[in-house]
Amino acid sequence: MIRMWSNLVAVAALTQVACSPPAATGDDKLEVAGAMVQAWNEQDWERVYALFAEDGVLHSMMTEPVVGREAIRERLDALAGGIERIELQIRNMGVVNDVVVLERTDDFVYNGRQSRIPVVGVMEIQDGRVSEWREYYDRASLEEALGPEPRPRAEVEAEIENTIRDFTAKLQDDWNAGDMGAYLATYHNSTETSLMFGGGGLRGWQAIADLFTATWKTEAAMGDFTVEDMTVFFGGSGTVIASGTFEHVFPDQTVNGAFTHVWRQMEPGQWRIIHEHTSRRL
């Protein structure tokens, strides 16, 4: 009886082994990965989704993973509408430690803009489906590629020039209204802000404020000034130089001269003077 039972157990074990599906080989996994690449290149999104396991994971490593085939569908559907053409250009693909590694360049046109993004992908494949796909790339480059078309430089510079002219007009209006506080608020409140005039100079917002408030104590003493002409030049790193001429009418004299303001963008739409050079016209 014992011997018969042992034989039955052995037969059952052999039958189970014989009926078990063979383990996937490296070639099998490469075939699945190749099918996924082809589906992307053909923009066959239903095929893409079908090649993921039901609980598959798509993980761009700089963001949170997307878990589950339906969640992957929702995420990619939002992207697919803007893709006009895409080619996952494979440089190297092979099996390393039982996972498929794809070194590639993604060449695509999204909302009319062509981009090329270097990517390394890692696919874990089980039972003929992708159970996890991890992607490594430069996130800033991809966000730029998927973002809105950059505005023409001439358009951006024209907008900035108008902003600087508006700030300069406000500077003039604040002074002529006797509002020294509003006038000084246009200068960057920093120890690095500087002023040059009449062969001398000051450094630091507080020193400039002390000079102005001590020299022009009343609205009448401040007089009125008018910017007569101004040209705007563009520097780098959010810096703009405005240079022009002015007429300043004081109670006892009229001064004509030239000025240069160096403006720096502190935040979008917000500019402050970090340096001023004023001279009288001889």
Side-chain angles (χ1 to χ4, degrees), residues 161-187 212 222-227 230 242 259 261 263 269-273 276:
E161 179 173 344
N162 288 335
T163 299
I164 296 302
R165 291 186 182 278
D166 288 344
F167 271 115
T168 303
K170 183 179 184 303
L171 200 67
Q172 173 182 290
D173 293 344
D174 289 340
W175 182 279
N176 295 343
D179 192 343
M180 182 66 80
Y183 180 86
L184 290 171
T186 307
Y187 293 77
F212 280 37
M222 291 171 69
D224 294 313
F225 84 86
T226 304
V227 174
M230 187 174 75
F259 71 93
H261 289 153
W263 296 81
Q270 192 61 261
W271 295 77
R272 291 290 180 264
I273 296 171
E276 177 180 320

Side-chain angles (χ1 to χ4, degrees), residues 101-123:
V101 178
L102 305 92
E103 180 191 9
R104 65 183 201 268
T105 299
D106 290 356
D107 186 323
F108 58 91
V109 176
Y110 185 80
N111 288 340
R113 295 173 57 196
Q114 181 179 8
S115 300
R116 290 173 56 83
I117 306 295
V119 182
V120 172
V122 177
M123 289 185 188

Side-chain angles (χ1 to χ4, degrees), residues 75-139:
R75 173 66 61 87
L76 294 184
D77 276 352
L79 179 68
I83 298 178
E84 300 171 29
R85 179 187 64 76
I86 187 167
E87 182 181 2
L88 277 55
Q89 299 173 345
I90 304 299
R91 297 188 62 185
N92 292 290
M93 184 168 72
V95 177
V96 179
N97 293 335
D98 212 31
V99 299
V100 177
V101 178
L102 305 92
E103 180 191 9
R104 65 183 201 268
T105 299
D106 290 356
D107 186 323
F108 58 91
V109 176
Y110 185 80
N111 288 340
R113 295 173 57 196
Q114 181 179 8
S115 300
R116 290 173 56 83
I117 306 295
V119 182
V120 172
V122 177
M123 289 185 188
E124 295 187 16
I125 297 172
Q126 298 177 356
D127 300 327
R129 295 288 185 272
V130 176
S131 60
E132 184 167 353
W133 186 355
R134 298 184 293 276
E135 295 274 84
Y136 301 83
Y137 53 85
D138 179 64
R139 184 179 178 184

